[in-house]
Amino acid sequence: MGDKAHTHPGAAGRAQAADHPASVRNVVLVGHSGSGKTTLVEALALTAGAVNRAGRVEDGGTVSDYDDIEHRQQRSVQLSLVPVEWDGIKVNLLDTPGYADFVGELRAGLRAADAALFVVSASDGVDGSTRMVWDECAAVGMPRAIVVTHLEAARADFEEMTRICAEAFGGDDPDAVLPLYLPLRGPEGPDGHAPVTGLVGLLSQKLFDYSTGERKESEPGEDQLPLMEEARGRLIEGIIAESEDETLMDRYLGGEQVDVKTLVEDLERAVARGVFFPVLAAAPAAEGARQGLGTVELLELITGGFPTPLEHGTPRVTTVDGRPRELKPCDPDAPLVAEVVKTSSDPYVGRLSLIRVFSGTLRADQTVHVSGHGMADRGHEDHDVDERIGALSTPFGKQQRPVSHVIAGDLACVAKLSRAETGDTLSAKDDPLLMEPWEMPDPLLPLAIQAHSKPDEDKLSQGLARLVAEDPTMRLEQNQDTHQVVLWCLGEAHADVALERLRSRYGVKVDVVPHRVPLRETFGSRAAGRGRHVKQSGGHGQFAICEIEVEPLPGGSGIEFVDKVVGGAVPRQFIPSVEKGVRAQAAKGVAAGHPLIDVRVTLLDGKAHSVDSSDAAFQTAGALALREAASDAKIHLLEPVAEVSVLVGDDYVGAVMSDLSGRRGRVLGTEQSAGGRTLIKAEVPEIEIGRYSVDLRSLSHGTARFSRRYARHEPMPSQVAERVREEARAAS
C-alpha cells in the first residue's frame, strides 16, 4: 500500500460488472460542502483511466458531458455513483452531498458502502456534522480513512490538519489516526507560498513526485530523512499497536527491525478491521496532467486496505411475515437479496433505481419480488408485489453502460421499476425476503403548498407522489384540520430542490403559503344555550327546540354529551340528533373556525312537535344551541405543544436553552450524553418551532439534532391568541 511503482493506471478504465465479490470495493465519500469530494472523485477517475488526459470519456463523450453545470448541481445534492477499475479491482465511488439538508442521501451512501473516505479541507478543518457522521460509522465498525484536500490554499498546513483530525476522530486513541505520507513542497512562489509537488512515503521512505503530472519515484535526500524520522516512528508504533501479532510490539521495542512488507500487511488488516485510520493527501491534476497528487496512493489504499463486500455483514433479513432468515454473506449463488438505495428520474431513460446486491445475482429481464416496509406517515405504502427487471447498467455521469447481471457485493442501476422505492428489497419471486431498513432522518421543516393554476392542480398529486417515492426523507401530509398540503423537508435547501423538481421534472408549479398549525377551541367557563329551529312554509314544517349547558373539561377529554332530559320533553329518537348537531358544530368551531374540544355538553330540556319535528330539525337546533352558548362564554384558543429533545454540544447548551425560552418553551431538564454533548428536553408551542430545524442548525453551527412529538393542546396566551384571530380575519 503506497509502495508500488505505479507510473500508469493499472487495468485502467471504467469498470464493468464484477465477476466476484472479492474484486469489488464500495467506498462512500463523506465531508462537508466544499471539502472537495466531487473533485476528488473526478481526479480518481482520471488516474484510473476512466477519462483520459485529453478529457475524453472512452466511448466518445467528453468530460464536459460528465461535468456540465446542471449535472454538477444535481450531484451536489444527491448520491451519485462513479465506478472505476484499478489493478483488476472494481471500485464503486459513492459521492454524497455535503449539505446537511441531504443527510438522507448520505445515509443511503453509508448503507451501500463497505468503507468510508472522509474528505477534509486543509483550509476549513473538520465541522460538527462530519464528526457526527464519523461517530455513526464508528458505531457500526465501518472502516475509514481520511483525505486532506485543498493543500494549495495559502493557509494549508497538512501537519496541523493531521493533528486536528487525530483530535476530532481519534477519541481515546489519537495514535490510530496517523499520516501514511507527508507532502513534499516545491520552491516558494512570488506570493511566498510553496506548492505541494509530491509525497514522501513514511513506510517505504520513497519520494513520489507529481510535479510533471506523472507520478515518479525516487530516493530521498540525506537532508529529508530527519524530517521523516519522527513521523515514521509514530506510524510504525501505531501500526504495531493494532497488529494481530501480539509479540510484534515487544520485538520492535527490543530493537528488532520490522520488515516493511509486514508493516504494510498489518496496516491493511488494521484498516479493514476499522481500528486504524490513515491520513492521506490528495489534489486534482493540473490541466493536461495524467495523475492528481496522491490519487495513486489513495487507489492503492482502497484496493489493498479497504474490505471486500465478503467482509461486510449483510443487514438483518427476514421473510415478508417477519421470520428471521440466515444467509451466507455476499454469496452470488445464494437467494437474491438486493436493496434500492436511491431512486431518481432521468430525462432520457425515466425512473432509475440504484441497487446494492447483498446476496445472490440480479439479472436483466428477471422477475423479482418487491418488498417494502412503507412509511405511511411519509406518503409511502407497503410494497408486496412482483416486478420485472428491465435494463441493468453501470453509470458514469449521465451515461449508462448496459450489463447483463450484477453479483452480490456490486452496485448497478435498474431502469423503469414502477413500484419499487428507496429502501425496498428485491428478492426472488418464489422466496420473498425483506431487509431491515436503515434509519431515515425525520423531516421537521414544513412547506405548505398549493397549485399555482388549474392545470397544475390536475398534475399536483401525481407529481408529489413521484417526489416522495424518490426521497424517503420527505414526508407528504394532507392536513385534515388546516386543509393544507404540506411537504415536510429537512431544511430550506431541501425544500428548494423539491420545488424545483416539481417544476422541472413533473411540470407542476406551486405557490408556497404560510404553514398553519392545527389550533383548537374550548370553553373557558360554564355557559348555557338555547337552540330554536322553527319554520312553517306550507306542508310539513320544521320544529325543534333544545336547551343545553356547556362546561369545560380537563385537557384530553374530547367532547362528552350527557342526556338529562326528563318527562320526554325531547323524544328519545331525537336525542342522538341533538348530539349529532352539537358534534358537527364542534368540528367546525364556535369562535375562530377551529374544532372545539374538552367540553361536556348536557341536554337539559327542549320541545318537539308531533308532525314537524325531525332528525334534521334537532340537528340544526343542537348546533344553534352550541353557538349561542359560545356567544355568552369566554372561548380559549388552544395551541399544540410539542415535546422537544435537543442533542447539542456542551458549548452551545446555554444558547439553545435561551433560544427555547424565547420561543415560550419550558425546559424540563438536561442529561449528559456521550461525546461532550447534552440532551435538553423541553415543551414548546408548535407555532414557535416551524423553522426550528433551520434556526437550530445556525445556532449550533450544524452540530445539534432535535426530535419532536405532539404532547397536547393547551390555552394560548391572550396576546398571541388575539394576534392569531386578527390574522385569520385579515386572511378571510
Side-chain angles (χ1 to χ4, degrees):
M1 186 189 302
D3 301 299
K4 301 174 184 176
H6 281 284
T7 56
H8 57 82
R14 263 180 289 163
Q16 305 297 313
D19 57 3
H20 192 275
S23 62
V24 178
R25 304 291 185 275
N26 298 310
V27 183
V28 61
L29 282 82
V30 177
H32 66 80
S33 178
S35 61
K37 296 184 301 297
T38 301
T39 302
L40 180 59
V41 168
E42 293 161 357
L44 293 171
L46 177 64
T47 296
V51 294
N52 66 25
R53 67 191 309 172
R56 296 278 174 181
V57 175
E58 287 181 350
D59 61 0
T62 65
V63 167
S64 61
D65 287 335
Y66 171 68
D67 196 33
D68 63 69
I69 293 174
E70 179 184 1
H71 194 63
R72 192 179 182 93
Q73 288 175 337
Q74 290 176 2
R75 287 191 294 145
S76 71
V77 298
Q78 64 184 23
L79 175 70
S80 62
L81 169 64
V82 177
V84 301
E85 188 171 319
W86 184 257
D87 279 348
I89 302 294
K90 181 180 182 182
V91 180
N92 288 316
L93 298 169
L94 292 152
D95 186 10
T96 64
Y99 297 103
D101 282 9
F102 304 98
V103 66
E105 305 282 333
L106 169 62
R107 296 275 175 82
L110 293 173
R111 176 70 159 211
D114 304 308
L117 205 55
F118 279 73
V119 183
V120 176
S121 169
S123 57
D124 296 333
V126 181
D127 70 343
S129 59
T130 303
R131 295 183 195 218
M132 288 194 293
V133 178
W134 181 277
D135 291 342
E136 287 187 33
C137 293
V140 297
M142 177 175 279
R144 284 146 282 159
I146 301 155
V147 183
V148 179
T149 59
H150 296 162
L151 291 170
E152 73 282 0
R155 303 187 310 277
D157 185 331
F158 180 79
E159 289 75 14
E160 175 64 12
M161 197 65 244
T162 300
R163 186 194 65 77
I164 292 172
C165 288
E167 185 180 277
F169 302 140
D172 296 332
D173 187 11
D175 285 339
V177 181
L178 293 170
L180 298 185
Y181 304 87
L182 296 180
L184 182 67
R185 294 191 178 272
E188 289 187 1
D191 59 355
H193 179 64
V196 177
T197 58
L199 299 170
V200 178
L202 293 179
L203 292 182
S204 65
Q205 294 183 287
K206 302 286 187 183
L207 300 186
F208 303 102
D209 184 7
Y210 282 88
S211 60
T212 63
E214 196 85 29
R215 183 180 188 255
K216 295 180 180 179
E217 180 182 327
S218 64
E219 298 293 330
E222 290 294 327
D223 59 329
Q224 293 168 321
L225 289 174
L227 301 175
M228 303 164 52
E229 187 174 344
E230 181 183 352
R232 186 173 192 268
R234 284 193 66 197
L235 175 61
I236 291 173
E237 290 181 12
I239 294 171
I240 292 175
E242 302 298 343
S243 174
E244 295 175 331
D245 183 352
E246 297 179 357
T247 69
L248 192 57
M249 179 61 79
D250 291 336
R251 287 154 45 201
Y252 174 73
L253 293 176
E256 180 179 326
Q257 291 294 319
V258 182
D259 182 62
V260 170
K261 182 180 178 183
T262 300
L263 290 172
V264 170
E265 290 173 351
D266 278 346
L267 169 64
E268 291 177 344
R269 283 192 289 266
V271 171
R273 293 191 346 257
V275 296
F276 189 83
F277 315 105
V279 183
L280 296 90
E287 186 174 349
R290 183 165 184 164
Q291 294 173 336
L293 181 139
T295 52
V296 171
E297 289 76 14
L298 191 50
L299 286 165
E300 288 176 354
L301 172 69
I302 290 170
T303 54
F306 280 173
T308 72
L310 292 164
E311 301 168 73
H312 186 203
T314 302
R316 181 173 173 268
V317 177
T318 66
T319 59
V320 175
D321 58 4
R323 288 178 286 113
R325 182 71 176 273
E326 293 295 329
L327 292 176
K328 184 179 178 182
C330 208
D331 182 358
D333 298 321
L336 175 67
V337 178
E339 187 171 39
V340 181
V341 294
K342 168 72 183 173
T343 309
S344 60
S345 296
D346 184 277
Y348 302 105
V349 300
R351 191 166 172 176
L352 273 177
S353 301
L354 178 61
I355 307 294
R356 161 81 192 246
V357 181
F358 286 91
S359 174
T361 300
L362 183 66
R363 304 183 186 279
D365 299 323
Q366 174 183 3
T367 298
V368 300
H369 189 79
V370 178
S371 305
H373 298 268
M375 289 176 281
D377 64 323
R378 301 192 189 188
H380 299 264
E381 60 180 345
D382 281 330
H383 288 154
D384 194 15
V385 297
D386 289 342
E387 277 208 74
R388 181 177 168 274
I389 297 294
L392 290 172
S393 60
T394 58
F396 189 80
K398 294 185 294 184
Q399 303 170 359
Q400 300 288 331
R401 299 189 68 172
V403 295
S404 61
H405 65 280
V406 188
I407 64 166
D410 204 358
L411 291 102
C413 289
V414 181
K416 299 179 181 178
L417 284 177
S418 60
R419 297 294 300 279
E421 298 180 356
T422 301
D424 284 355
T425 304
L426 308 183
S427 56
K429 67 175 183 178
D430 56 351
D431 187 13
L433 298 171
L434 186 61
M435 294 187 71
E436 186 176 45
W438 70 85
E439 182 184 351
M440 292 288 185
D442 192 14
L444 295 168
L445 180 69
L447 184 73
I449 58 173
Q450 61 186 26
H452 181 70
S453 63
K454 183 63 172 70
D456 293 311
E457 190 173 324
D458 296 336
K459 296 181 289 185
L460 180 60
S461 61
Q462 185 179 24
L464 290 173
R466 290 180 177 177
L467 192 68
V468 297
E470 289 185 16
D471 188 352
T473 64
M474 190 172 291
R475 175 160 60 92
L476 177 62
E477 176 191 7
Q478 306 271 356
N479 193 291
Q480 300 302 311
D481 291 314
T482 63
H483 306 293
Q484 286 188 312
V485 175
V486 183
L487 275 177
W488 288 85
C489 305
L490 294 173
E492 289 181 310
H494 194 206
D496 291 343
V497 167
L499 294 176
E500 177 57 25
R501 285 178 180 169
L502 276 177
R503 185 193 64 79
S504 60
R505 290 186 185 179
Y506 308 122
V508 182
K509 188 176 180 181
V510 298
D511 297 322
V512 178
V513 297
H515 175 249
R516 299 194 297 270
V517 300
L519 302 179
R520 299 287 187 266
E521 299 172 356
T522 195
F523 276 60
S525 59
R526 188 185 298 263
R530 185 172 190 265
R532 185 176 186 276
H533 183 62
V534 179
K535 289 187 177 181
Q536 186 67 46
S537 55
H540 279 300
Q542 299 179 51
F543 187 99
I545 298 174
C546 63
E547 296 180 6
I548 64 171
E549 182 181 72
V550 184
E551 57 185 311
L553 293 176
S557 300
I559 296 178
E560 292 183 16
F561 184 84
V562 179
D563 168 26
K564 286 191 176 180
V565 174
V566 295
V570 176
R572 305 307 305 168
Q573 69 268 30
F574 294 135
I575 290 175
S577 304
V578 176
E579 181 178 0
K580 189 181 295 184
V582 166
R583 291 188 180 275
Q585 184 62 52
K588 297 176 184 176
V590 293
H594 304 292
L596 178 72
I597 60 171
D598 299 337
V599 293
R600 177 184 292 121
V601 178
T602 303
L603 178 60
L604 300 173
D605 201 359
K607 292 182 180 179
H609 189 277
S610 59
V611 176
D612 294 340
S613 289
S614 65
D615 171 64
F618 271 99
Q619 284 191 48
T620 302
L624 290 171
L626 186 61
R627 291 209 298 266
E628 182 178 288
S631 67
D632 292 334
K634 182 173 180 57
I635 303 298
H636 291 310
L637 270 185
L638 303 178
E639 60 182 340
V641 174
E643 290 182 4
V644 175
S645 296
V646 185
L647 186 62
V648 62
D650 292 343
D651 292 344
Y652 303 105
V653 169
V656 169
M657 292 179 69
S658 176
D659 179 72
L660 288 171
S661 297
R663 297 172 186 270
R664 298 190 284 123
R666 295 183 294 274
V667 175
L668 303 179
T670 61
E671 299 174 11
Q672 281 302 120
S673 189
R677 291 181 288 183
T678 298
L679 181 66
I680 304 171
K681 294 186 176 181
E683 291 182 345
V684 191
E686 289 191 9
I687 201 170
E688 301 286 352
I689 54 173
R691 290 179 50 82
Y692 191 56
S693 60
V694 177
D695 298 338
L696 179 63
R697 186 178 300 161
S698 174
L699 194 65
S700 66
H701 296 272
T703 63
R705 298 176 181 175
F706 88 103
S707 62
R708 58 185 280 186
R709 71 181 185 89
Y710 169 77
R712 62 187 174 278
H713 276 74
E714 63 180 36
M716 183 180 282
S718 57
Q719 67 274 19
V720 180
E722 187 55 36
R723 186 179 75 238
V724 170
R725 291 189 182 99
E726 289 176 0
E727 290 172 354
R729 286 192 290 268
S732 60

